[in-house]
Amino acid sequence: MTGEPRTTPFRMPEHLFAELASGGGSAPAVAFLEQGERARRLLLLRTLLKRVRDLPTPLTEAASAWQVFKEAAERAPEAVERLLLAPTTGAWIAHLLRRLHGTATGPPLWVEAARLNALAVAASLHAGTEASLRVALDDGALHLPGLGLARLPDGAPGPSAGRAGTRAGIMTLGGPDRGGRPTTLTCRPAPVPVDRPGPEDPVRLPPRTLTHPAPDDPGAPGWHPLRTLTHSTPAGPVAIPLEDLDPYRDLDGPIPPARLDHDEAVAWQRLFDEAAAILAGADGADGADGADGADGGAGARPGRLDPALIRSVVPWARTALLPPPPPEVRVSASSGDAYGAMVIARPSSALALAEALVHEFQHSKLAALIHLFPLVSDDRTERFYAPWRPDPRHLTGLLHGAYAFTGVAGFWRDRLADPAHAGTAAYHFALRRTQSRLVVRTLLTSGRLTEAGHALVTGLARTLDAWLREPVPAPARARARTAAALHRTEWRLRNLLPPPGRPAGPGPEGHSVPLGHGAGGSAAPDGLRFRSDRASWPDVRTPLFAVPPAEPGTPDEHLAAGDPAAAFDGYAKGLEREPGDPHLLAGRIVARAVLEPGPAARRALARPELLLPPPRAAG
């Protein structure tokens, strides 16, 4: 590892860019993105070191900590490189730079800057070097990136200064207790695989420590190792952090540890194993002509992912095994500052986890591309329709969605030949390819793409156009088309007001709709008026329409089951009780369009907000 800047231009070969522009990307293409992230990480770190050089601190100064880090890198370059490129390192650097620019808040600045000292201690432990550094403690605890959490017995509350000494992989941590007296802990820090007990899979013991082993509660004194998800590859096992301890594991500022209980961690490993097997099952799938990237093996085509590329999985809002989340609850997120990391609420199925892993890694790839190339000139105005969001989006968000959901469409395309998933796969593939292509058209006609951005989005369009020519069973295609129309209609009802004084013509049931407006693209035209009272709303229809209900009861279920007449009646009765309800009104508009297709239906779908009751005049 070196902190010296590159002396040659950083250029991406055209064939690698073309692979990524298709929505996929071979192993060499992804490796190039990782090289770019490394270069960016070093530049940001150099800027950070300059900014904290004169920061008042009771700890070892930054220059000395960085020297310990570099000496460890000479002895154990691969291990220390992993520390440098860890998602939490990127998140810390970005957050601290924002703090130094006055755009973020957090604990005392010297405490956050002391993360560098913790990185140096962790690097020294990996390399087996000898070092002694003054470090920041939080309630008597020191987090060691990539290793775990050490907590002193009866440590002093709040931030305090301690000392960490390392020698031959052993750490002695000292600091004040609650009474101000010195207290110490000696341990051999190391991560551990998640235990998977069973008759043929004995419990793996934590690494040897020189104190009593600590329980799972990170508030107890002792050593709390980072647990890792084990993934088998032809080159050997890969350890992927199941990150529940690092304060910089989230997408914003530092947060306290939230240790998973043992059963929940085991559940993650089992689900991850199953998700990895699903992803591996795509290796032999055939691609449509013109839809794939250059030959690069598994992972080159959109929707493919080698789980070994994941840098960490951060469990979201789950610290117990029960109750499992309902199938429609799928929460996942990622950040461009933390390449390869994904925050995920453990879903109820391996298929949902596999889809989430693909989705979030697509975001990581695009974020890395944006760090290399300006792709869009974005004024950050949130006025565009995104078919997977309840709110208006800016162009950068729209581009991220298009790239992520092109990958998701490819994921479901790979499941079409799998008897276990073929039914739902056909629906999701049909839905996501259509929605993604709609957004791609918005981007291409926005006039805001750079030359590189236009090349990228054109590559996505080429992939999606080829997929749109592929046959999908008619029932699944019809449900996907209906679900897409429902989302767009409800989005407009919840987010938009009709323009005042607009010429209108007669529409369904005597309401007024503008003349000459077809369904159009997803871009919000100039002059649209957004509601001031708009709020987030749940998209319950997209998952509902995946499988037609055998015994429909609600209007949505009747529509999903292919009975628009029963659905229309149900929506109409609901609107008698709740006039103007956007969910019910969207359903009635779409059900009517299915029953009576034609120009009037298309006009109603194009501007459904004109069917809402007019807003009351002020005063």
Side-chain angles (χ1 to χ4, degrees):
M1 189 207 77
T2 175
E4 296 302 318
R6 297 177 62 94
T7 56
T8 57
F10 202 80
R11 302 184 188 278
M12 174 175 281
E14 290 186 9
H15 71 280
L16 296 184
F17 184 89
E19 288 180 14
L20 294 164
S22 76
S26 64
V30 174
F32 191 93
L33 292 179
E34 292 178 340
Q35 293 173 25
E37 287 299 288
R38 180 186 187 276
R40 178 177 183 269
R41 187 77 52 87
L42 286 171
L43 286 171
L44 291 176
L45 187 56
R46 185 171 63 171
T47 300
L48 181 61
L49 289 171
K50 290 180 179 178
R51 295 293 301 273
V52 301
R53 181 172 50 197
D54 299 323
L55 179 71
T57 175
L59 310 177
T60 302
E61 61 182 13
S64 298
W66 180 240
Q67 185 61 35
V68 170
F69 190 88
K70 291 204 298 182
E71 290 173 359
E74 294 173 0
R75 291 273 297 270
E78 292 184 5
V80 178
E81 184 86 351
R82 285 194 298 270
L83 276 177
L84 174 69
L85 300 182
T88 51
T89 302
W92 164 68
I93 293 172
H95 172 74
L96 189 53
L97 285 173
R98 286 193 289 270
R99 284 210 63 183
L100 293 167
H101 283 92
T103 58
T105 60
L109 195 57
W110 66 267
V111 172
E112 293 219 74
R115 170 78 171 200
L116 179 63
N117 299 34
L119 280 165
V121 172
S124 178
L125 289 166
H126 279 295
T129 57
E130 187 171 349
S132 179
L133 292 166
R134 295 275 288 173
V135 295
L137 304 178
D138 182 16
D139 292 335
L142 172 66
H143 180 268
L144 295 174
L147 296 174
L149 181 76
R151 186 177 294 278
L152 293 172
D154 198 32
S160 62
R163 182 172 292 278
T166 64
R167 184 178 183 182
I170 295 174
M171 180 182 73
T172 298
L173 179 65
D177 68 6
R178 291 179 179 273
R181 297 175 298 272
T183 182
T184 62
L185 169 74
T186 302
C187 56
R188 185 184 293 274
V192 297
V194 169
D195 294 337
R196 286 177 292 176
E200 297 180 4
D201 188 9
V203 173
R204 289 186 280 268
L205 296 176
R208 179 174 65 89
T209 64
L210 302 184
T211 61
H212 295 294
D216 276 344
D217 177 10
W223 171 246
H224 305 267
L226 170 70
R227 289 176 296 200
T228 59
L229 300 170
T230 303
H231 174 60
S232 299
T233 73
V238 174
I240 300 169
L242 183 63
E243 187 57 81
D244 55 5
L245 295 174
D246 197 303
Y248 295 95
R249 66 190 184 277
D250 198 36
L251 304 182
D252 197 3
I255 57 174
R259 188 67 155 173
L260 300 180
D261 64 32
H262 173 79
D263 288 343
E264 175 71 1
V266 170
W268 267 103
Q269 179 66 70
R270 289 173 177 161
L271 200 65
F272 190 84
D273 287 341
E274 295 170 11
I278 290 172
L279 292 170
D283 288 358
D286 294 329
D289 292 341
D292 300 330
D295 265 346
R301 297 167 183 164
R304 304 291 178 84
L305 172 63
D306 177 1
L309 295 172
I310 298 170
R311 295 295 171 255
S312 72
V313 173
V314 181
W316 182 84
R318 296 286 308 285
T319 57
L321 182 61
L322 296 175
E328 66 271 14
V329 176
R330 299 181 182 183
V331 178
S332 65
S334 54
S335 166
D337 297 325
Y339 176 86
M342 42 199 73
V343 179
I344 301 177
R346 181 171 64 83
S348 56
S349 73
L351 188 66
L353 178 58
E355 179 190 11
L357 296 176
V358 168
H359 180 128
E360 296 306 331
F361 197 74
Q362 288 287 104
H363 282 302
S364 281
K365 289 194 300 180
L366 183 64
L369 273 173
I370 290 174
H371 292 158
L372 294 174
F373 308 101
L375 298 178
V376 60
S377 174
D378 189 2
D379 60 9
R380 310 298 285 188
T381 302
E382 296 180 331
R383 63 187 184 91
F384 295 96
Y385 169 62
W388 31 77
R389 295 276 304 204
D391 52 345
R393 295 293 283 157
H394 47 63
L395 281 171
T396 301
L398 212 61
L399 179 58
H400 261 284
Y403 198 81
F405 278 97
T406 297
V408 169
F411 169 82
W412 288 111
R413 178 174 175 266
D414 279 340
R415 314 273 88 74
L416 290 173
D418 184 348
H421 308 301
T424 55
Y427 163 79
H428 286 296
F429 173 56
L431 177 67
R432 297 311 188 189
R433 68 180 181 180
T434 300
Q435 291 177 326
S436 299
R437 188 60 180 90
L438 186 67
V439 171
V440 161
R441 180 169 65 177
T442 298
L443 291 164
L444 288 174
T445 58
S446 69
R448 296 294 188 89
L449 296 175
T450 65
E451 182 178 354
H454 191 273
L456 177 76
V457 178
T458 299
L460 294 179
R462 189 177 300 113
T463 293
L464 294 164
D465 287 343
W467 287 351
L468 285 166
R469 294 192 292 268
E470 295 184 11
V472 171
R477 189 172 65 250
R479 293 198 310 279
R481 185 163 50 243
T482 302
L486 284 165
H487 186 279
R488 182 183 182 277
T489 302
E490 187 167 354
W491 183 93
R492 293 187 71 95
L493 291 174
R494 290 185 181 273
N495 286 286
L496 299 179
L497 289 169
R502 188 78 179 239
E509 303 175 37
H511 292 287
S512 294
V513 296
L515 295 174
H517 281 269
S522 66
D526 291 339
L528 283 188
R529 300 182 351 173
F530 288 96
R531 300 179 64 95
S532 60
D533 61 346
R534 64 184 189 271
S536 184
W537 49 278
D539 176 17
V540 297
R541 285 163 163 152
T542 293
L544 172 65
F545 276 62
V547 179
E551 298 181 2
T554 67
D556 283 347
E557 290 173 349
H558 281 293
L559 196 54
D563 189 350
F568 183 86
D569 289 343
Y571 292 129
K573 291 177 182 177
L575 285 167
E576 291 175 1
R577 298 187 301 270
E578 301 177 66
D581 178 85
H583 183 88
L584 295 171
L585 184 55
R588 188 178 67 174
I589 292 169
V590 173
R592 169 58 66 89
V594 175
L595 288 168
E596 301 177 8
R602 289 194 295 272
R603 288 195 293 267
L605 289 172
R607 300 300 298 276
E609 64 272 17
L610 295 179
L611 303 184
L612 286 169
R616 294 180 181 179

